[in-house]
Short mmCIF file of all heavy atoms in Angstrom, two decimals:
data_model
loop_
_atom_site.label_atom_id
_atom_site.label_comp_id
_atom_site.label_asym_id
_atom_site.label_seq_id
_atom_site.Cartn_x
_atom_site.Cartn_y
_atom_site.Cartn_z
N ASP Z 1 0.87 -1.15 -0.02
CA ASP Z 1 0.03 0.02 0.00
C ASP Z 1 0.80 1.25 -0.06
O ASP Z 1 1.83 1.30 0.76
CB ASP Z 1 -0.88 0.08 1.20
CG ASP Z 1 -2.01 -1.04 1.21
OD1 ASP Z 1 -2.26 -1.57 0.12
OD2 ASP Z 1 -2.61 -1.33 2.24
N VAL Z 2 0.54 2.16 -0.85
CA VAL Z 2 1.25 3.54 -0.96
C VAL Z 2 0.48 4.52 -0.08
O VAL Z 2 -0.65 4.75 -0.39
CB VAL Z 2 1.44 3.88 -2.39
CG1 VAL Z 2 2.20 5.14 -2.52
CG2 VAL Z 2 2.05 2.74 -3.25
N TYR Z 3 1.24 5.12 0.75
CA TYR Z 3 0.71 6.25 1.53
C TYR Z 3 1.52 7.58 1.09
O TYR Z 3 2.39 7.51 0.42
CB TYR Z 3 0.77 6.06 3.06
CG TYR Z 3 -0.15 4.89 3.57
CD1 TYR Z 3 0.37 3.57 3.44
CD2 TYR Z 3 -1.38 5.10 4.02
CE1 TYR Z 3 -0.48 2.56 3.88
CE2 TYR Z 3 -2.23 4.14 4.38
CZ TYR Z 3 -1.70 2.80 4.38
OH TYR Z 3 -2.60 1.82 4.79
N GLN Z 4 1.04 8.65 1.57
CA GLN Z 4 1.70 9.91 1.08
C GLN Z 4 3.13 9.94 1.52
O GLN Z 4 3.90 10.50 0.72
CB GLN Z 4 0.94 11.07 1.69
CG GLN Z 4 -0.51 11.29 1.18
CD GLN Z 4 -1.29 12.38 1.73
OE1 GLN Z 4 -0.69 13.16 2.68
NE2 GLN Z 4 -2.51 12.52 1.37
N GLU Z 5 3.49 9.39 2.65
CA GLU Z 5 4.86 9.59 3.16
C GLU Z 5 5.60 8.19 3.26
O GLU Z 5 6.83 8.28 3.50
CB GLU Z 5 4.87 10.20 4.47
CG GLU Z 5 4.26 11.63 4.55
CD GLU Z 5 5.01 12.65 3.67
OE1 GLU Z 5 6.23 12.41 3.53
OE2 GLU Z 5 4.37 13.56 3.25
N TYR Z 6 4.96 7.15 3.00
CA TYR Z 6 5.58 5.86 3.34
C TYR Z 6 4.96 4.66 2.55
O TYR Z 6 3.92 4.79 1.99
CB TYR Z 6 5.74 5.57 4.72
CG TYR Z 6 4.36 5.24 5.46
CD1 TYR Z 6 3.94 3.93 5.57
CD2 TYR Z 6 3.50 6.30 5.84
CE1 TYR Z 6 2.73 3.62 6.23
CE2 TYR Z 6 2.30 6.02 6.39
CZ TYR Z 6 1.89 4.60 6.70
OH TYR Z 6 0.75 4.38 7.20
N ILE Z 7 5.53 3.50 2.65
CA ILE Z 7 5.07 2.24 2.04
C ILE Z 7 4.82 1.26 3.21
O ILE Z 7 5.54 1.16 4.06
CB ILE Z 7 6.12 1.67 1.13
CG1 ILE Z 7 6.34 2.64 -0.06
CG2 ILE Z 7 5.53 0.37 0.59
CD1 ILE Z 7 5.18 2.86 -1.00
N GLU Z 8 3.69 0.46 3.04
CA GLU Z 8 3.38 -0.63 3.91
C GLU Z 8 3.34 -1.90 3.01
O GLU Z 8 2.53 -1.95 2.02
CB GLU Z 8 2.07 -0.44 4.57
CG GLU Z 8 1.66 -1.77 5.38
CD GLU Z 8 0.29 -1.62 6.09
OE1 GLU Z 8 -0.19 -0.49 6.26
OE2 GLU Z 8 -0.27 -2.71 6.43
N ILE Z 9 4.20 -2.83 3.27
CA ILE Z 9 4.16 -4.09 2.50
C ILE Z 9 3.17 -5.00 3.04
O ILE Z 9 3.10 -5.28 4.35
CB ILE Z 9 5.59 -4.79 2.61
CG1 ILE Z 9 6.57 -4.01 1.79
CG2 ILE Z 9 5.45 -6.27 2.05
CD1 ILE Z 9 8.00 -4.49 1.77
N THR Z 10 2.18 -5.51 2.29
CA THR Z 10 1.01 -6.11 2.71
C THR Z 10 1.16 -7.76 2.43
O THR Z 10 0.59 -8.55 3.08
CB THR Z 10 -0.24 -5.78 2.06
OG1 THR Z 10 -0.15 -5.77 0.61
CG2 THR Z 10 -0.55 -4.30 2.51
N ALA Z 11 2.05 -8.08 1.55
CA ALA Z 11 2.24 -9.52 1.21
C ALA Z 11 3.47 -9.73 0.47
O ALA Z 11 3.93 -8.95 -0.49
CB ALA Z 11 1.06 -10.10 0.42
N TYR Z 12 4.18 -10.82 0.85
CA TYR Z 12 5.40 -11.22 0.12
C TYR Z 12 4.98 -12.40 -0.95
O TYR Z 12 4.28 -13.37 -0.46
CB TYR Z 12 6.48 -11.77 0.99
CG TYR Z 12 7.64 -12.38 0.21
CD1 TYR Z 12 8.38 -11.68 -0.59
CD2 TYR Z 12 7.92 -13.76 0.38
CE1 TYR Z 12 9.51 -12.12 -1.26
CE2 TYR Z 12 8.92 -14.38 -0.44
CZ TYR Z 12 9.74 -13.51 -1.15
OH TYR Z 12 10.84 -14.03 -1.91
N LYS Z 13 5.25 -12.15 -2.18
CA LYS Z 13 4.74 -13.13 -3.17
C LYS Z 13 5.99 -13.77 -3.94
O LYS Z 13 5.77 -14.50 -4.89
CB LYS Z 13 3.86 -12.37 -4.24
CG LYS Z 13 2.55 -11.82 -3.66
CD LYS Z 13 1.69 -12.97 -3.11
CE LYS Z 13 0.33 -12.53 -2.63
NZ LYS Z 13 -0.48 -13.56 -2.17
N GLY Z 14 7.19 -13.54 -3.43
CA GLY Z 14 8.34 -13.98 -4.18
C GLY Z 14 8.56 -15.50 -3.85
O GLY Z 14 7.79 -16.08 -3.02
N GLU Z 15 9.53 -16.06 -4.49
CA GLU Z 15 9.91 -17.44 -4.31
C GLU Z 15 11.33 -17.67 -3.63
O GLU Z 15 11.70 -18.81 -3.43
CB GLU Z 15 9.84 -18.19 -5.63
CG GLU Z 15 8.48 -18.17 -6.25
CD GLU Z 15 8.40 -18.89 -7.61
OE1 GLU Z 15 9.48 -19.35 -8.05
OE2 GLU Z 15 7.36 -19.05 -8.22
N ALA Z 16 12.04 -16.58 -3.34
CA ALA Z 16 13.33 -16.68 -2.89
C ALA Z 16 13.25 -17.28 -1.32
O ALA Z 16 12.22 -16.99 -0.62
CB ALA Z 16 13.96 -15.32 -2.74
N THR Z 17 14.26 -18.11 -0.95
CA THR Z 17 14.30 -18.62 0.42
C THR Z 17 15.03 -17.53 1.34
O THR Z 17 14.72 -17.62 2.53
CB THR Z 17 15.06 -19.83 0.40
OG1 THR Z 17 16.32 -19.76 -0.08
CG2 THR Z 17 14.28 -20.88 -0.38
N GLU Z 18 15.92 -16.71 0.88
CA GLU Z 18 16.50 -15.73 1.59
C GLU Z 18 16.02 -14.34 1.03
O GLU Z 18 16.28 -14.04 -0.13
CB GLU Z 18 18.04 -15.83 1.58
CG GLU Z 18 18.55 -17.10 2.13
CD GLU Z 18 20.04 -17.25 2.12
OE1 GLU Z 18 20.70 -16.30 1.74
OE2 GLU Z 18 20.58 -18.30 2.58
N VAL Z 19 15.36 -13.64 1.82
CA VAL Z 19 14.62 -12.35 1.45
C VAL Z 19 15.32 -11.24 2.03
O VAL Z 19 15.50 -11.14 3.22
CB VAL Z 19 13.21 -12.48 1.74
CG1 VAL Z 19 12.44 -11.19 1.26
CG2 VAL Z 19 12.46 -13.74 1.16
N THR Z 20 15.61 -10.18 1.14
CA THR Z 20 15.98 -8.83 1.72
C THR Z 20 14.91 -7.79 1.38
O THR Z 20 14.62 -7.56 0.25
CB THR Z 20 17.29 -8.45 1.03
OG1 THR Z 20 18.48 -9.31 1.34
CG2 THR Z 20 17.76 -7.03 1.57
N VAL Z 21 14.23 -7.42 2.41
CA VAL Z 21 13.15 -6.47 2.18
C VAL Z 21 13.71 -5.12 1.91
O VAL Z 21 14.59 -4.60 2.51
CB VAL Z 21 12.28 -6.33 3.49
CG1 VAL Z 21 11.24 -5.28 3.37
CG2 VAL Z 21 11.70 -7.75 3.90
N PRO Z 22 13.24 -4.41 0.81
CA PRO Z 22 13.86 -3.22 0.40
C PRO Z 22 13.52 -2.13 1.32
O PRO Z 22 12.54 -2.14 2.02
CB PRO Z 22 13.07 -2.98 -0.94
CG PRO Z 22 11.82 -3.67 -0.94
CD PRO Z 22 12.11 -4.92 -0.03
N ASP Z 23 14.41 -1.00 1.42
CA ASP Z 23 14.20 0.05 2.23
C ASP Z 23 13.33 1.10 1.63
O ASP Z 23 12.71 1.88 2.40
CB ASP Z 23 15.50 0.71 2.75
CG ASP Z 23 16.43 1.08 1.55
OD1 ASP Z 23 16.04 0.87 0.44
OD2 ASP Z 23 17.48 1.65 1.75
N THR Z 24 13.13 0.99 0.27
CA THR Z 24 12.28 1.97 -0.42
C THR Z 24 11.48 1.20 -1.52
O THR Z 24 12.05 0.22 -2.05
CB THR Z 24 12.97 3.16 -1.01
OG1 THR Z 24 13.95 2.63 -1.97
CG2 THR Z 24 13.67 3.96 0.07
N LEU Z 25 10.31 1.68 -1.78
CA LEU Z 25 9.58 1.20 -3.00
C LEU Z 25 8.84 2.43 -3.51
O LEU Z 25 8.27 3.38 -2.80
CB LEU Z 25 8.46 0.26 -2.61
CG LEU Z 25 8.99 -1.23 -2.27
CD1 LEU Z 25 7.75 -2.06 -1.70
CD2 LEU Z 25 9.50 -1.87 -3.55
N ASP Z 26 8.92 2.56 -4.88
CA ASP Z 26 8.40 3.78 -5.47
C ASP Z 26 8.98 5.16 -4.88
O ASP Z 26 8.26 6.16 -4.78
CB ASP Z 26 6.82 3.84 -5.32
CG ASP Z 26 6.16 2.77 -6.15
OD1 ASP Z 26 6.83 2.18 -6.93
OD2 ASP Z 26 4.88 2.65 -6.08
N GLY Z 27 10.17 5.08 -4.50
CA GLY Z 27 10.86 6.28 -3.89
C GLY Z 27 10.39 6.66 -2.48
O GLY Z 27 10.79 7.67 -2.01
N LYS Z 28 9.60 5.80 -1.80
CA LYS Z 28 9.18 6.03 -0.49
C LYS Z 28 9.64 5.03 0.53
O LYS Z 28 9.78 3.94 0.12
CB LYS Z 28 7.74 6.20 -0.38
CG LYS Z 28 7.10 7.34 -1.25
CD LYS Z 28 5.61 7.31 -1.19
CE LYS Z 28 5.00 8.46 -2.01
NZ LYS Z 28 3.48 8.53 -1.88
N PRO Z 29 9.95 5.36 1.77
CA PRO Z 29 10.52 4.48 2.71
C PRO Z 29 9.53 3.33 3.06
O PRO Z 29 8.34 3.59 3.29
CB PRO Z 29 10.96 5.31 3.92
CG PRO Z 29 9.99 6.56 3.84
CD PRO Z 29 9.82 6.73 2.33
N VAL Z 30 10.02 2.22 3.17
CA VAL Z 30 9.13 1.09 3.71
C VAL Z 30 9.22 1.13 5.23
O VAL Z 30 10.21 0.79 5.85
CB VAL Z 30 9.71 -0.29 3.23
CG1 VAL Z 30 8.86 -1.44 3.81
CG2 VAL Z 30 9.60 -0.42 1.69
N ARG Z 31 8.13 1.54 5.78
CA ARG Z 31 8.04 1.70 7.31
C ARG Z 31 7.28 0.77 7.93
O ARG Z 31 7.36 0.46 9.22
CB ARG Z 31 7.37 3.07 7.63
CG ARG Z 31 8.23 4.23 7.21
CD ARG Z 31 7.62 5.53 7.69
NE ARG Z 31 8.45 6.74 7.22
CZ ARG Z 31 7.98 7.99 7.27
NH1 ARG Z 31 6.71 8.16 7.79
NH2 ARG Z 31 8.72 8.98 6.95
N ARG Z 32 6.52 -0.20 7.28
CA ARG Z 32 5.68 -1.09 7.94
C ARG Z 32 5.51 -2.41 7.17
O ARG Z 32 5.31 -2.37 6.00
CB ARG Z 32 4.16 -0.49 8.21
CG ARG Z 32 3.32 -1.28 9.14
CD ARG Z 32 2.04 -0.58 9.48
NE ARG Z 32 1.27 -1.27 10.53
CZ ARG Z 32 0.47 -2.34 10.34
NH1 ARG Z 32 0.21 -2.80 9.02
NH2 ARG Z 32 -0.12 -2.93 11.32
N LEU Z 33 5.65 -3.51 7.86
CA LEU Z 33 5.25 -4.73 7.40
C LEU Z 33 3.75 -5.09 7.87
O LEU Z 33 3.58 -5.04 9.10
CB LEU Z 33 6.15 -5.96 7.96
CG LEU Z 33 7.49 -6.04 7.29
CD1 LEU Z 33 8.22 -7.25 7.84
CD2 LEU Z 33 7.43 -6.12 5.80
N GLY Z 34 2.88 -5.19 6.99
CA GLY Z 34 1.39 -5.34 7.37
C GLY Z 34 1.21 -6.63 8.01
O GLY Z 34 1.87 -7.60 8.10
N GLU Z 35 -0.20 -6.77 8.40
CA GLU Z 35 -0.59 -8.06 9.04
C GLU Z 35 -0.46 -9.20 8.00
O GLU Z 35 -0.82 -9.07 6.77
CB GLU Z 35 -2.17 -7.87 9.37
CG GLU Z 35 -2.31 -6.95 10.51
CD GLU Z 35 -3.79 -6.79 10.97
OE1 GLU Z 35 -4.63 -7.64 10.38
OE2 GLU Z 35 -4.15 -5.91 11.67
N LEU Z 36 0.09 -10.25 8.44
CA LEU Z 36 0.15 -11.61 7.70
C LEU Z 36 1.04 -11.38 6.44
O LEU Z 36 1.01 -12.17 5.45
CB LEU Z 36 -1.25 -12.03 7.17
CG LEU Z 36 -2.24 -12.33 8.27
CD1 LEU Z 36 -3.59 -12.49 7.73
CD2 LEU Z 36 -1.77 -13.55 9.14
N ALA Z 37 1.98 -10.32 6.47
CA ALA Z 37 2.75 -10.07 5.27
C ALA Z 37 3.63 -11.25 4.79
O ALA Z 37 3.70 -11.50 3.55
CB ALA Z 37 3.71 -8.94 5.63
N PHE Z 38 4.13 -12.06 5.63
CA PHE Z 38 4.89 -13.28 5.30
C PHE Z 38 4.20 -14.53 5.67
O PHE Z 38 4.80 -15.58 5.85
CB PHE Z 38 6.29 -13.27 5.88
CG PHE Z 38 7.28 -12.33 5.22
CD1 PHE Z 38 7.35 -10.96 5.42
CD2 PHE Z 38 8.12 -12.87 4.11
CE1 PHE Z 38 8.27 -10.20 4.71
CE2 PHE Z 38 8.99 -12.12 3.54
CZ PHE Z 38 9.13 -10.72 3.79
N TYR Z 39 3.01 -14.49 6.10
CA TYR Z 39 2.16 -15.61 6.59
C TYR Z 39 2.37 -16.92 5.75
O TYR Z 39 2.22 -16.84 4.61
CB TYR Z 39 0.74 -15.20 6.67
CG TYR Z 39 -0.17 -16.45 6.85
CD1 TYR Z 39 -0.08 -17.07 8.15
CD2 TYR Z 39 -1.04 -16.95 5.93
CE1 TYR Z 39 -0.94 -18.17 8.38
CE2 TYR Z 39 -1.86 -18.01 6.19
CZ TYR Z 39 -1.79 -18.66 7.39
OH TYR Z 39 -2.54 -19.80 7.68
N GLY Z 40 2.82 -17.97 6.50
CA GLY Z 40 2.92 -19.14 5.79
C GLY Z 40 3.97 -19.28 4.82
O GLY Z 40 3.94 -20.19 3.83
N GLY Z 41 5.04 -18.46 4.88
CA GLY Z 41 6.09 -18.41 3.92
C GLY Z 41 6.93 -19.66 4.10
O GLY Z 41 8.07 -19.61 4.67
N ALA Z 42 6.41 -20.76 3.61
CA ALA Z 42 7.00 -22.06 3.86
C ALA Z 42 8.51 -22.18 3.49
O ALA Z 42 9.29 -22.99 4.03
CB ALA Z 42 6.16 -23.17 3.28
N ALA Z 43 8.93 -21.53 2.43
CA ALA Z 43 10.27 -21.64 1.84
C ALA Z 43 11.22 -20.60 2.41
O ALA Z 43 12.42 -20.81 2.23
CB ALA Z 43 10.16 -21.54 0.28
N VAL Z 44 10.76 -19.63 3.09
CA VAL Z 44 11.57 -18.54 3.64
C VAL Z 44 12.42 -18.99 4.82
O VAL Z 44 11.78 -19.26 5.93
CB VAL Z 44 10.69 -17.32 3.95
CG1 VAL Z 44 11.65 -16.14 4.47
CG2 VAL Z 44 10.07 -16.80 2.73
N THR Z 45 13.64 -19.03 4.62
CA THR Z 45 14.62 -19.34 5.72
C THR Z 45 15.27 -18.19 6.44
O THR Z 45 15.74 -18.29 7.50
CB THR Z 45 15.68 -20.31 5.21
OG1 THR Z 45 16.54 -19.61 4.20
CG2 THR Z 45 15.06 -21.57 4.59
N ALA Z 46 15.47 -17.04 5.69
CA ALA Z 46 16.00 -15.85 6.33
C ALA Z 46 15.49 -14.60 5.71
O ALA Z 46 15.17 -14.55 4.50
CB ALA Z 46 17.61 -15.88 5.96
N VAL Z 47 15.25 -13.61 6.55
CA VAL Z 47 14.74 -12.36 6.09
C VAL Z 47 15.68 -11.26 6.65
O VAL Z 47 15.90 -11.12 7.88
CB VAL Z 47 13.32 -12.12 6.63
CG1 VAL Z 47 12.79 -10.69 6.14
CG2 VAL Z 47 12.34 -13.24 6.09
N THR Z 48 16.11 -10.31 5.76
CA THR Z 48 16.81 -9.11 6.21
C THR Z 48 15.91 -7.94 6.21
O THR Z 48 15.30 -7.66 5.12
CB THR Z 48 18.01 -8.85 5.33
OG1 THR Z 48 18.97 -10.01 5.37
CG2 THR Z 48 18.84 -7.63 5.79
#
């Protein structure tokens, strides 16, 4: 979700097992991981 001043990631849809969450999206800082953002990420072993 894009807000006026920041980004909230609502879901991870990638297939990587080691994930690096970006510090910006669309030029705005990622400030929040939303509810259930990585829920059930069966393959994810590491998150930065």
Side-chain angles (χ1 to χ4, degrees):
D1 289 341
V2 180
Y3 293 85
Q4 292 177 5
E5 301 294 334
Y6 68 96
I7 298 292
E8 175 183 341
I9 291 177
T10 56
Y12 173 67
K13 296 296 184 181
E15 298 181 355
T17 58
E18 297 184 1
V19 180
T20 298
V21 177
D23 57 358
T24 62
L25 285 169
D26 290 355
K28 296 180 180 181
V30 174
R31 291 185 182 170
R32 190 173 190 274
L33 286 184
E35 296 180 11
L36 302 168
F38 280 85
Y39 167 68
V44 175
T45 60
V47 178
T48 301

